[in-house]
Amino acid sequence: MTGVVFDIQRFSVHDGPGIRTTVFMKGCSLACAWCHNPESISPRKEIQAYLYKCIGCGRCVEVCGTGAQSMSELGRVYDRSLCTGCGRCVESCYSGALVQTGRDMTPA
């Protein structure tokens, strides 16, 4: 059995009494208007782009096999609809502007 986890929060003291470890899974179908974790909605691995961190090196464009990453006159462009979530762009990003949300994990 495998699930897609987007975060593990240790020493969690929010949302109730006591100290606990909280595992945040992807694939929530509730779509609550007040959701504090919108990155949990899609069940797929996703790439989060922090454009203010982008240095415009173009490395992500070079390694992207689907064309989801491209450069324009205005800077880097990210097309989520083309992204497969493979993470190659994240691994190649020098500045930390790209972060992968979700990783396959087993209960073990």
Side-chain angles (χ1 to χ4, degrees):
M1 178 188 328
T2 302
V4 181
V5 174
F6 81 85
D7 192 21
I8 298 177
Q9 185 179 56
R10 290 172 172 73
F11 199 78
S12 179
V13 293
H14 305 291
D15 302 320
I19 299 169
R20 63 197 143 289
T21 296
T22 306
V23 178
F24 293 92
M25 307 291 292
K26 288 192 55 69
C28 179
S29 60
L30 297 178
C32 301
W34 58 86
C35 182
H36 289 96
N37 299 309
E39 63 273 20
S40 71
I41 296 171
S42 172
R44 319 176 23 225
K45 295 177 190 174
E46 297 175 292
I47 306 300
Q48 289 184 313
Y50 298 96
L51 298 180
Y52 67 93
K53 291 184 176 182
C54 181
I55 59 174
C57 67
R59 183 80 179 114
C60 58
V61 177
E62 293 173 15
V63 300
C64 182
T66 64
Q69 305 284 354
S70 63
M71 295 296 276
S72 77
E73 305 81 41
L74 300 175
R76 195 181 64 73
V77 178
Y78 174 50
D79 185 346
R80 286 186 189 279
S81 68
L82 297 175
C83 182
T84 61
C86 70
R88 286 184 294 225
C89 59
V90 173
E91 294 168 7
S92 71
C93 185
Y94 299 119
S95 65
L98 301 174
V99 177
Q100 187 163 29
T101 302
R103 63 185 186 270
D104 293 323
M105 296 186 81
T106 64

